[in-house]
Amino acid sequence: MLLLAAAFLVAFVLLLYMVSPLISPKPLALPGAHVVVTGGSSGIGKCIAIECYKQGAFITLVARNEDKLLQAKKEIEKHSINDKQVVLCISVDVSQDYSQVENVIKQAQEKLGPVDMLVNCAGMSLAGKFEDLEVSTFERLMSVNYLGSVYPSRAVITTMKERRVGRIVFVSSQAGQLGLFGFTAYSSSKFAIRGLAEALQMEVKPYNVYVTVAYPPDTDTPGFAEENKTKPLETRLISETTSVCKPEQVAKQIVKDAIVVTMGLFRTIALFYLGSFDSIVRRCMVQRAKSEIADKTA
Amino acid sequence: MLLLAAAFLVAFVLLLYMVSPLISPKPLALPGAHVVVTGGSSGIGKCIAIECYKQGAFITLVARNEDKLLQAKKEIEKHSINDKQVVLCISVDVSQDYSQVENVIKQAQEKLGPVDMLVNCAGMSLAGKFEDLEVSTFERLMSVNYLGSVYPSRAVITTMKERRVGRIVFVSSQAGQLGLFGFTAYSSSKFAIRGLAEALQMEVKPYNVYVTVAYPPDTDTPGFAEENKTKPLETRLISETTSVCKPEQVAKQIVKDAIQGNFNSSIGSDGYMLSSLTCGMAPVTSITEGLQQVVTMGLFRTIALFYLGSFDSIVRRCMVQRAKSEIADKTA
C-alpha cells in the first residue's frame, strides 16, 4: 500500500519535471539582443558583458570612469563572434540623478534599439564595525548599491512592459541573504535590492518581464580588494567559511539564470499565495485594458 | 522499537523546552528602565511607549512635530503606575543629520540615564507601481525608514556595549519579509532594516545587547491611512489576504519579544508562519524557536544554525582575546 503511494508520488514528480519547461518562461535569445550593464567597466559587470557579447549580444557599458570604460570595451571586443556587434560606452554616475540615467538609457536605445536586458552591477562594498564605519557610509552604500539599481531599472521598465519582453538583473550578494559581522551598511543595501526585486517581479510578471537576483559569494574583483582594506578580523574569519570565486564563473551563472529563469522550491503554502497574488495582478491588468477599450469605443 | 525511539524523542524535546529559559537571554526589567521610542508620537510607536510606560519604564519620545509629541505625552501619562515615572519629549528628524540625533540621545541620557531600550519606530509608507512612484520616493522612504533607524542605533550602541546590556528594536514589516506589488520602495527599505539588524546582532551578541526585528502586518494607524491614499488596487486586493491589526496588539507583542531579547517578533498566526518560512539565516534567541523552525522548515535550517554558532563563537573568541591582550599590555 505504502509502496503504491510512493510509486504514484514518484510518477507525479517526474510528470512535473517534464511539464515544467512547457510552462516556464521562454528563454531570452541573446544574439542581437541589447544588453545594458551598469558597473560594466570592471569586476563582475565586465565579465557579464563579456559573457553576453560572446553569445552575440550588443552591449551598452555604463560606468563613471571614461578611461576604464574604453579599456573594458577593448577587452570585450576581443570576444566578438560577428561583424555587426557593437559595444557602446556611456559615462554616468547611476546613483546621482534619475534624469541623467534616463537620458543615458535614451541615448543607448537610439543607437542600439530598445533594451532587452538590464544588468544592475554598479555597486561598492565597505566593511567595518557598526560604530566604526563613517556615518556617511550608510547613505553612500545605499545610494550606489540600491538607488543606483532603482534608477536604471525605472528607466527601462515602461518600454519592457510595452514590448512584453525583458530581463532585469540585480546583483545582490550572499551578504544580502544573511547579515554578517562588519556588514551593517553593506548587507542592508543588498537586502534592499532583494526587496525591490521581489516587489518588482510581482508587478511585471504578467508583462513577460523577468527579474533575476544574483547572490554572488566573495568574488575576486577590484571591488573585493577595496572591501578587504578595512575588513575587521571577525569578518575575515567568518568569510573564510566560503572560498573566493572567479568573476568569470559568477558571470556565467548569472547570465544563464537571467536567460532561463529557474523557479520553484517546496515552499507549498508560499507558492499558492504567490500564485494568487499573480492572478490578482493579471486580472486587474486585463480589466484595466478592457475599460480603456470601452472608453475609446464609447 | 519505534515506539521506544519516539518516546525518547518526545522526552528530549520536553527537556529542551525546560532547559531553554535557562540559556536564553535574561529578560530586560522594564520598571525604571529608560526606553527611547522614535516615531513615538503616533501609531505603533505611541502604543509601544504606552505599553512600556504601563510596565514602569521611563520614556523618551522622539518625533518631528512638537504638538503631536505633547499630545502623545499627555495620553501616555494617563497610564502611569507610580509618581516617579517621566515622559520626556524631544523633537528632531531622525533621518536628517546624525549629529543632531547624537545630541538628542545625549540630552535624553543626561535627564533619564543611559538608554536601556531603543525602539526605532520612525517610518513612513507609500505604495504605488514602480514606474508611477515619484522618483524621490525611493530615496525618501529609504532615508526615513532605514537611515532613521541607523542613526539612533548608532548613537546608543557604544554605551550599551560598555554597560553589557541593551535592547534595540527595529520595526520592519511583513513587506520586509516578502516583496509585494506596489511596494518596490517600501519593501526595499524594510528589507534593508532586516539586513542591518542581522549584521548588528552578530556584532553585539557577546555584549549582551539584543536586537529585535518586528514584522507587523497591516496595522490600523495614521501611517496606514496615508499608505491607503495611493495604494494600487492590486496591492489592496493582495493585502486582503491578512487582516488589519490594532496597534495596541502589535505593540504588546513587540514589547514582549523585545524584553525577552527575541530576534524575531511576529504578530498572529499568519505572522508566525511567514516568519518561520522566511527565517533564512536569521539568528534564534531560544532553543525552542530554533526547534520549531527546524521542524517546520526542514533539514537545511539545522545546517544554518551550526554556521551561526561558529560565527558567534568566532566573534566571542576575538572579543576575549582582545581583552586579554589589553590586560597584557597594561601589565607589561
Side-chain angles (χ1 to χ4, degrees):
Chain A
M1 189 57 219
L2 207 62
L3 230 63
L4 196 62
F8 259 119
L9 193 64
V10 170
F12 181 61
V13 169
L14 283 172
L15 187 69
L16 282 181
Y17 270 91
M18 287 189 288
V19 167
S20 180
L22 302 174
I23 38 183
S24 292
K26 195 175 100 135
L28 184 82
L30 273 185
H34 180 190
V35 178
V36 175
V37 184
T38 69
S41 63
S42 74
I44 296 176
K46 188 175 69 174
C47 290
I48 288 179
I50 292 175
E51 186 59 34
C52 292
Y53 198 70
K54 276 195 208 168
Q55 300 192 38
F58 288 55
I59 309 288
T60 298
L61 285 183
V62 177
R64 289 166 301 168
N65 186 305
E66 298 211 26
D67 294 325
K68 283 165 88 177
L69 275 171
L70 288 174
Q71 260 190 318
K73 174 177 154 98
K74 286 204 195 97
E75 199 180 325
I76 296 171
E77 282 174 336
K78 291 191 198 138
H79 298 269
S80 79
I81 61 171
N82 64 50
D83 288 336
K84 293 191 284 174
Q85 279 182 292
V86 177
V87 176
L88 179 65
C89 292
I90 309 184
S91 159
V92 75
D93 181 338
V94 290
S95 66
Q96 269 302 89
D97 177 10
Y98 174 64
S99 45
Q100 279 184 12
V101 177
E102 210 182 13
N103 250 336
V104 163
I105 295 295
K106 215 157 149 222
Q107 286 181 48
Q109 294 193 137
E110 275 164 16
K111 296 217 165 88
L112 299 183
V115 178
D116 296 296
M117 179 157 111
L118 167 69
V119 182
N120 291 296
C121 207
M124 59 181 285
S125 173
L126 267 170
K129 288 207 299 194
F130 182 53
E131 61 270 30
D132 291 344
L133 289 167
E134 276 188 56
V135 175
S136 58
T137 302
F138 293 88
E139 187 182 346
R140 193 152 49 108
L141 280 190
M142 195 55 85
S143 183
V144 176
N145 294 353
Y146 167 65
L147 292 180
S149 294
V150 169
Y151 295 160
S153 304
R154 198 179 145 103
V156 302
I157 197 64
T158 313
T159 312
M160 283 186 178
K161 283 173 85 171
E162 279 170 13
R163 297 175 68 223
R164 295 294 199 270
V165 69
R167 295 286 190 275
I168 298 187
V169 179
F170 294 100
V171 181
S172 174
S173 165
Q174 284 188 351
Q177 295 174 303
L178 78 150
L180 290 169
F181 189 109
F183 283 132
T184 41
Y186 182 68
S187 278
S188 323
S189 67
K190 292 303 190 175
F191 265 74
I193 284 177
R194 176 178 173 165
L196 169 68
E198 275 187 27
L200 183 61
Q201 176 70 94
M202 197 178 287
E203 289 187 21
V204 302
K205 199 183 282 194
Y207 297 88
N208 194 39
V209 178
Y210 288 94
V211 173
T212 300
V213 193
Y215 301 101
D218 286 338
T219 309
D220 185 18
T221 65
F224 184 57
E226 266 309 300
E227 181 191 304
N228 279 331
K229 287 184 184 168
T230 57
K231 188 177 284 187
L233 173 64
E234 290 90 336
T235 312
R236 201 181 299 276
L237 292 174
I238 289 171
S239 298
E240 277 165 13
T241 323
T242 61
S243 47
V244 180
C245 267
K246 293 242 133 277
E248 293 84 5
Q249 184 191 353
V250 171
K252 240 195 179 82
Q253 185 64 48
I254 293 177
V255 172
K256 186 166 149 238
D257 286 324
I259 298 174
V260 181
V261 178
T262 55
M263 301 209 292
L265 290 172
F266 287 141
R267 300 175 296 166
T268 324
I269 298 172
L271 287 170
F272 277 120
Y273 270 94
L274 285 171
S276 88
F277 299 161
D278 287 335
S279 82
I280 287 172
V281 173
R282 211 178 316 124
R283 253 191 301 122
C284 290
M285 180 185 95
V286 167
Q287 276 193 321
R288 207 166 288 128
K290 277 196 194 157
S291 60
E292 274 173 24
I293 295 175
D295 282 347
K296 287 193 184 146
T297 54
Chain B
M1 187 57 221
L2 206 64
L3 228 63
L4 196 62
F8 260 118
L9 192 65
V10 169
F12 180 62
V13 169
L14 284 173
L15 186 69
L16 281 182
Y17 269 90
M18 288 188 289
V19 165
S20 181
L22 301 174
I23 34 188
S24 293
K26 194 172 98 132
L28 183 83
L30 273 186
H34 179 191
V35 178
V36 175
V37 184
T38 71
S41 63
S42 75
I44 295 175
K46 187 175 69 174
C47 292
I48 289 179
I50 291 176
E51 187 59 36
C52 293
Y53 198 69
K54 276 195 209 169
Q55 300 191 35
F58 288 55
I59 309 290
T60 297
L61 283 184
V62 177
R64 288 167 301 168
N65 186 304
E66 298 212 28
D67 294 325
K68 283 165 87 175
L69 275 171
L70 287 173
Q71 259 188 319
K73 176 176 152 95
K74 285 202 197 102
E75 199 181 325
I76 296 170
E77 283 173 335
K78 292 191 199 139
H79 299 268
S80 78
I81 60 171
N82 65 50
D83 288 336
K84 293 190 281 175
Q85 279 183 289
V86 177
V87 176
L88 179 64
C89 293
I90 309 186
S91 160
V92 76
D93 181 339
V94 288
S95 65
Q96 270 300 89
D97 176 10
Y98 174 63
S99 45
Q100 280 184 8
V101 177
E102 212 184 11
N103 248 335
V104 163
I105 297 295
K106 213 155 149 230
Q107 286 180 47
Q109 296 193 134
E110 276 164 14
K111 296 219 166 87
L112 301 182
V115 178
D116 295 296
M117 179 156 112
L118 167 70
V119 182
N120 290 297
C121 207
M124 61 181 283
S125 174
L126 266 170
K129 288 204 304 191
F130 182 53
E131 60 271 29
D132 292 341
L133 289 167
E134 275 187 55
V135 176
S136 58
T137 303
F138 293 89
E139 187 182 344
R140 192 153 50 108
L141 281 189
M142 196 53 87
S143 183
V144 176
N145 295 353
Y146 166 65
L147 293 179
S149 295
V150 169
Y151 295 160
S153 306
R154 200 181 142 102
V156 302
I157 197 65
T158 314
T159 312
M160 283 187 179
K161 283 174 84 171
E162 279 171 11
R163 300 173 68 222
R164 294 292 199 272
V165 70
R167 295 286 189 272
I168 298 188
V169 179
F170 293 100
V171 180
S172 174
S173 166
Q174 283 187 351
Q177 295 174 302
L178 77 151
L180 290 169
F181 188 108
F183 284 132
T184 41
Y186 183 68
S187 279
S188 323
S189 67
K190 293 302 190 176
F191 265 75
I193 285 177
R194 179 184 169 158
L196 169 69
E198 276 191 29
L200 184 61
Q201 177 70 96
M202 197 178 288
E203 290 188 21
V204 303
K205 200 184 278 192
Y207 297 87
N208 193 40
V209 177
Y210 288 93
V211 173
T212 300
V213 192
Y215 300 101
D218 285 338
T219 309
D220 186 17
T221 66
F224 185 56
E226 265 310 300
E227 180 190 303
N228 278 332
K229 285 185 185 167
T230 58
K231 186 179 285 188
L233 174 64
E234 289 93 332
T235 312
R236 202 180 298 276
L237 292 174
I238 288 171
S239 297
E240 280 168 10
T241 324
T242 61
S243 46
V244 179
C245 268
K246 295 243 133 275
E248 294 83 8
Q249 181 192 357
V250 172
K252 240 195 181 80
Q253 183 65 47
I254 294 177
V255 172
K256 186 164 152 239
D257 286 317
I259 293 175
Q260 195 51 58
N262 290 335
F263 184 75
N264 208 295
S265 177
S266 61
I267 289 92
S269 53
D270 287 335
Y272 173 73
M273 226 171 36
L274 188 57
S275 284
S276 281
L277 185 62
T278 61
C279 65
M281 280 290 285
V284 289
T285 346
S286 67
I287 296 184
T288 51
E289 185 188 349
L291 190 68
Q292 281 160 330
Q293 284 170 346
V294 168
V295 167
T296 59
M297 264 247 306
L299 180 65
F300 297 108
R301 183 60 187 173
T302 322
I303 300 173
L305 288 171
F306 276 115
Y307 269 90
L308 282 170
S310 86
F311 298 160
D312 286 335
S313 80
I314 287 172
V315 172
R316 209 179 317 125
R317 252 191 301 123
C318 290
M319 181 185 92
V320 167
Q321 277 194 321
R322 204 167 290 129
K324 276 192 198 159
S325 58
E326 274 173 21
I327 295 173
D329 283 345
K330 286 190 187 150
T331 52

